[in-house]
Amino acid sequence: MARLKIKYKSGYKGGKYAPVFRYGMMLASVVLITMFLPKQPRFRYEFEKGKVWMHEDLVSPYNFSILKTQSELDKDRENILKSIYPIYNQNTQVAEQQLAQFETALPERWQTAGLDTLDENMATYEQVGRQLLSDIYKRGVIALNNKFQSDRPNYNFTLLTDNVATQRNTAEVFTVETAMEYARKTIGNRSAIGHKDWLVDAVSNYITLNYLFNEPLTARLEEDALANISTTRGMVQRGELIVANGTTINNEVYQKIESLRKAYEEEARIGGNWTLVVLGQFFLVGLVVSLLFVFIYLFRKDIYHNNRLIFLILIAITGMLLALSWAIKIKLPSLYYIPYCIVPIIIRILFDTRLALNIHLLMVLLAAFFVPNSFEFVFLQLSTGMVAIYSIKTLVKREQFLISSAIILGTYLTAYLGMALMRDGSFNNIYWSNIAPFVFSVLLTLLAYPLIYAFERVFGIISDVTLMELTNSNSKLLRELSYKAPGTFQHSLQVANLAEAAIYKIGGNTLLVRAGALYHDIGKMANPQYFIENQTKGYNPHDGLSFEQSAQIIISHVSKGVEMARKNQLPEVIIDFIRTHHGTTRVDYFYQSYIKSFPEKFVDEDIFHYPGPIPFSRETAVLMMADSVEAASRSLKEPNAQNINDLVDKIIESKLAQKQLINSNITLKDITEISEIFKEMLKSIYHVRIDYEGNKKETVSLKPQDGIA
């Protein structure tokens, strides 16, 4: 279970006014959500087509009209549009203008073509051309509109000539193409015309449209006609039985119930008390947020007392519910375009499974009050939300997002197909276009990845992906540690192995404790030679210092480590391991040496104590024990099984006696299991072999080389 990935503080309560801010954030979130939720009252019954009516007999409380279905409205719309003829205006000036231009240009064209210049010959051509153009424009030239042709080549239209309307058909008039063909055929039948092609070309240049489509007027007629479409068919009288208990809801009954629902909500919207609707929503939202905080208080007190994390959770919940409210307000074609699974994914990765599931459940239940087909919505969103949470056990690879998205999409499709088949019992009534919102929603869910990074940076949370990056030994700080303090680096690796194995056994975040262990001693890089694991044989810089100075140098590696970590922008949760890995324990070697050397002097113990705080999580507690055990094991002259067992028990008992683990949420059973893990691993590290033949433990110890263990 992923947990404890946040910045902790020993005994953290968030300050004197933290509860005020916490409850203030809760109230602000409730008010904000309530403000933006849809304000229509809710119909009390849930129903689906093809299902049995499980409520009491439904009797109409008042007269209401039966609404037409969408298919009926579409059919009416289609019929209305077919009954509207497009409007064309006749431009009477076009014929006059084109004939005048033809007469003016013909002599020049005649001369340019080098034809016979006798006046009577050209006059014949002019007469034929004029007559032909007059006939064409008298009949009319039009441009056909594909919108009105549909499955037939010709259609009726209304022709306006000087505001006088006549009904015509496109079969009775010319198009530019058919007019030119008519001219070619007519001229071809004239034996007196010698240069037929020349005259056809001359006439064709003056054929243009004189019936012009009036699109604005046509559109206005269509709009007026569509506005007058009746949206109802028939009435249900007050006291009439709509559906009886146990009756299957067929198409007709479904439409009556749906009409009653809309009539009820419309009447309540107009005549209902808006203030009471808002009050009811406030109670519902307040109940949901209160239930969430009760859960957090009972099971995640670490989050409850951290206002930053409370703020993060409230942002995620409020943001999603506001997005849903916005979608309902703008009447989004499908509410499934909203990526509802993004919140449980983010909460799962940043916190844990239980919290993510609890938040998702409460959000879906609250949303069900305001969405249509609420049962279908709840089933789909709960199913996909659970799959989203389960599919991301630990996010250590980027492709897990893609895999999770594919599984979420598969769940959406399976659930939708199952509900559609159960409702209609046929593949024919499944609208495959309804799948598009699911695909879009899943694609938007991928935004969880950059959002997680943003939340990490803003709220000081750390995810498994970041932990994986931090545990890379090629990172800048770890490379520097291995170069400047190789003994400390090897010690940190061994501590990481011990702590990771222990936390895996008792439950906790293994990646977190490993990262904390790798960085817990980076402060030793400031003075590496003052720590025994980095010292060369025959030289100890402490020989020239007082015991107090030596103790302060040793203790200072904690503060220097915190300084280095913050300079390199390590997350606060990693810095907590640096601050707590020695707790408030004492540098016993130099303290005891001081007592022995100066028994008559007063000793200020604070000089020899680490500043703390003590560990305040399972992970930090395990690291403290692993660090002490690993360091002490290096001093064993004979690391056999008995010595290792005694050493581990002694160190852990010492931590308990000094009350270093009282804030770490760790049990005695956990400590026993940790102790056994440490013993087994240390025996393996020091190559302790057990002779079982004589039922007697004998050890052969091979001391590790300097700087390796």
Side-chain angles (χ1 to χ4, degrees):
M1 178 172 60
R3 54 178 299 173
L4 299 172
K5 294 185 280 186
I6 58 180
K7 179 184 177 182
Y8 295 93
K9 293 184 179 179
S10 180
Y12 178 72
K13 297 298 179 184
K16 179 180 179 181
Y17 298 104
V20 176
F21 291 128
R22 187 179 310 123
Y23 299 130
M25 287 189 294
M26 290 173 56
L27 181 60
S29 178
V30 172
V31 170
L32 190 62
I33 294 171
T34 304
M35 284 175 55
F36 286 93
L37 283 176
K39 295 299 180 287
Q40 77 274 13
R42 287 284 297 173
F43 191 54
R44 60 178 293 192
Y45 301 108
E46 286 291 332
F47 57 96
E48 281 190 76
K49 190 185 299 183
K51 295 290 186 66
V52 174
W53 180 259
M54 302 301 295
H55 308 285
E56 69 274 9
D57 292 354
L58 180 59
V59 177
S60 176
Y62 38 71
N63 299 339
F64 65 91
S65 301
I66 302 173
L67 299 174
K68 291 180 180 178
T69 64
Q70 188 59 48
S71 60
E72 290 173 331
L73 290 173
D74 291 342
K75 187 175 181 180
D76 287 349
R77 175 186 172 86
E78 183 181 350
N79 292 334
I80 287 291
L81 292 177
K82 285 181 180 179
S83 68
I84 300 297
Y85 294 163
I87 307 297
Y88 285 82
N89 293 100
Q90 181 179 4
N91 190 334
T92 56
Q93 296 179 354
V94 169
E96 297 174 2
Q97 292 170 355
Q98 296 301 316
L99 284 169
Q101 290 177 14
F102 173 76
E103 292 173 357
T104 302
L106 188 65
E108 184 180 350
R109 292 177 63 90
W110 182 274
Q111 187 176 4
T112 302
L115 302 177
D116 186 1
T117 59
L118 294 177
D119 292 342
E120 60 270 26
N121 289 340
M122 189 184 72
T124 301
Y125 280 82
E126 180 181 352
Q127 182 181 358
V128 172
R130 277 183 56 84
Q131 184 61 44
L132 187 57
L133 287 172
S134 296
D135 292 343
I136 289 173
Y137 285 117
K138 184 176 180 181
R139 186 171 172 181
V141 183
I142 196 173
L144 296 178
N145 194 309
N146 293 333
K147 174 183 176 182
F148 304 103
Q149 283 183 294
S150 61
D151 57 348
R152 58 192 188 280
N154 295 301
Y155 54 87
N156 295 323
F157 66 94
T158 300
L159 180 65
L160 291 180
T161 306
D162 296 329
N163 292 327
V164 177
T166 56
Q167 300 298 320
R168 302 286 299 275
N169 189 282
T170 56
E172 304 169 3
V173 296
F174 289 115
T175 63
V176 172
E177 293 78 11
T178 58
M180 292 174 64
E181 182 63 30
Y182 172 77
R184 188 176 291 106
K185 184 177 180 180
T186 302
I187 293 172
N189 293 332
R190 292 292 187 106
S191 57
I193 301 299
H195 303 288
K196 292 180 173 60
D197 290 340
W198 178 86
L199 183 57
V200 169
D201 183 60
V203 170
S204 298
N205 287 325
Y206 300 96
I207 297 176
T208 187
L209 303 177
N210 68 330
Y211 290 179
L212 305 177
F213 178 50
N214 191 330
E215 186 173 5
L217 182 56
T218 303
R220 191 162 67 235
L221 288 176
E222 289 178 345
E223 290 173 3
D224 292 342
L226 292 175
N228 292 324
I229 292 179
S230 174
T231 59
T232 63
R233 51 170 177 83
M235 292 281 295
V236 174
Q237 302 298 321
R238 179 179 180 180
E240 180 180 336
L241 177 65
I242 299 175
V243 61
N245 176 264
T247 304
T248 301
I249 303 174
N250 57 27
N251 291 335
E252 184 65 25
V253 171
Y254 177 84
Q255 200 58 29
K256 288 182 179 180
I257 302 173
E258 181 67 13
S259 301
L260 175 61
R261 181 185 68 80
K262 291 185 178 179
Y264 169 81
E265 292 181 354
E266 182 65 20
E267 181 176 315
R269 183 182 66 83
I270 297 172
N273 191 321
W274 186 85
T275 305
L276 294 180
V277 173
V278 173
L279 183 61
Q281 291 182 345
F282 181 82
F283 286 156
L284 289 176
V285 177
L287 177 62
V288 166
V289 173
S290 298
L291 287 173
L292 172 61
F293 274 83
V294 168
F295 172 84
I296 294 174
Y297 177 78
L298 292 176
F299 301 103
R300 292 301 303 268
K301 282 189 171 64
D302 51 303
I303 298 175
Y304 182 81
H305 292 299
N306 191 318
N307 283 350
R308 285 192 306 163
L309 301 182
I310 293 296
F311 186 48
L312 185 157
I313 292 171
L314 289 175
I315 283 179
I317 296 172
T318 305
M320 183 52 65
L321 290 175
L322 291 185
L324 182 66
S325 301
W326 169 79
I328 295 173
K329 183 178 181 180
I330 66 169
K331 297 182 179 179
L332 201 67
S334 174
L335 294 179
Y336 296 108
Y337 281 111
I338 304 298
Y340 227 70
C341 289
I342 200 169
V343 171
I345 288 177
I346 291 174
I347 300 299
R348 168 63 187 83
I349 292 171
L350 295 181
F351 297 100
D352 61 40
T353 300
R354 288 190 304 171
L355 183 59
L357 192 57
N358 193 279
I359 287 175
H360 186 61
L361 172 64
L362 292 174
M363 280 202 314
V364 169
L365 290 178
L366 181 60
F369 280 100
F370 309 99
V371 299
N373 300 322
S374 55
F375 174 79
E376 178 181 311
F377 178 86
V378 168
F379 181 82
L380 279 170
Q381 298 299 1
L382 278 184
S383 301
T384 52
M386 292 168 69
V387 166
I389 293 168
Y390 299 158
S391 62
I392 304 180
K393 185 178 181 182
T394 51
L395 184 65
V396 294
K397 296 181 180 179
R398 281 191 281 273
E399 59 262 29
Q400 283 184 251
F401 260 126
L402 295 176
I403 295 171
S404 179
S405 298
I407 296 173
I408 293 170
L409 180 59
T411 305
Y412 267 130
L413 298 182
T414 303
Y416 172 73
L417 183 62
M419 288 190 294
L421 291 176
M422 184 176 66
R423 180 173 55 245
D424 299 317
S426 170
F427 283 101
N428 298 328
N429 295 326
I430 297 176
Y431 298 100
W432 298 106
S433 59
N434 291 344
I435 293 173
F438 300 140
V439 176
F440 187 79
S441 172
V442 170
L443 290 176
L444 285 182
T445 301
L446 295 175
L447 290 174
Y449 192 82
L451 283 175
I452 288 168
Y453 176 77
F455 283 140
E456 283 184 308
R457 304 301 296 177
V458 173
F459 293 98
I461 302 178
I462 187 168
S463 69
D464 288 344
V465 175
T466 304
L467 289 174
M468 287 292 292
E469 294 171 353
L470 289 173
T471 55
N472 186 347
S473 58
N474 286 319
S475 64
K476 177 185 175 183
L477 267 180
L478 293 183
R479 281 203 316 270
E480 188 178 354
L481 179 64
S482 65
Y483 177 74
K484 291 184 177 179
T488 299
F489 179 69
Q490 293 300 325
H491 161 71
S492 298
L493 288 175
Q494 295 287 25
V495 171
N497 292 334
L498 289 171
E500 186 176 23
I503 207 67
Y504 180 82
K505 177 68 176 178
I506 68 171
N509 192 329
T510 54
L511 275 176
L512 176 61
V513 78
R514 182 169 189 83
L518 290 175
Y519 290 92
H520 79 284
D521 268 347
I522 57 173
K524 291 182 178 180
M525 284 191 289
N527 298 295
Q529 70 278 11
Y530 284 88
F531 298 89
I532 191 169
E533 67 267 21
N534 300 310
Q535 292 173 1
T536 56
K537 291 184 178 179
Y539 174 71
N540 188 343
H542 288 285
D543 292 342
L545 300 175
S546 67
F547 299 124
E548 299 98 314
Q549 290 174 323
S550 293
Q552 285 301 302
I553 290 174
I554 297 298
I555 291 171
S556 69
H557 85 275
V558 172
S559 58
K560 291 183 182 298
V562 171
E563 183 181 340
M564 288 181 185
R566 290 197 169 128
K567 183 179 179 181
N568 287 271
Q569 297 183 331
L570 288 183
E572 283 294 324
V573 68
I574 301 299
I575 296 175
D576 286 338
F577 284 91
I578 301 174
R579 295 166 54 235
T580 61
H581 74 278
H582 284 295
T584 55
T585 57
R586 191 171 56 203
V587 187
D588 245 7
Y589 176 81
F590 294 110
Y591 175 75
Q592 297 298 339
S593 299
Y594 182 91
I595 294 295
K596 291 178 182 177
S597 301
F598 308 102
E600 74 286 353
K601 286 188 176 182
F602 171 78
V603 58
D604 182 3
E605 285 200 26
D606 289 342
I607 296 175
F608 298 93
H609 276 275
Y610 285 96
I614 63 175
F616 40 79
S617 70
R618 298 160 73 85
E619 284 81 359
T620 52
V622 166
L623 175 66
M624 169 184 271
M625 291 184 280
D627 179 45
S628 299
V629 164
E630 203 285 331
S633 68
R634 292 171 177 264
S635 65
L636 287 175
K637 295 180 180 179
E638 188 178 355
N640 55 42
Q642 186 60 48
N643 289 342
I644 289 174
N645 290 343
D646 292 343
L647 175 70
V648 171
D649 290 338
K650 179 182 177 182
I651 288 175
I652 292 179
E653 287 172 5
S654 172
K655 301 301 180 189
L656 289 171
Q658 296 178 65
K659 297 183 179 180
Q660 297 295 303
L661 308 178
I662 58 174
N663 291 334
S664 57
N665 189 27
I666 201 166
T667 66
L668 290 176
K669 180 184 177 182
D670 294 334
I671 292 174
T672 302
E673 292 178 341
I674 292 167
S675 174
E676 293 301 318
I677 290 288
F678 286 169
K679 291 173 183 177
E680 292 301 319
M681 292 191 68
L682 287 174
K683 291 173 187 176
S684 176
I685 290 171
Y686 289 101
H687 307 291
V688 174
R689 294 185 298 178
I690 302 175
D691 182 10
Y692 292 97
E693 293 181 2
N695 196 25
K696 175 182 176 182
K697 295 183 179 179
E698 296 181 357
T699 62
V700 178
S701 61
L702 299 176
K703 291 187 178 181
Q705 297 178 359
D706 291 341
I708 300 301

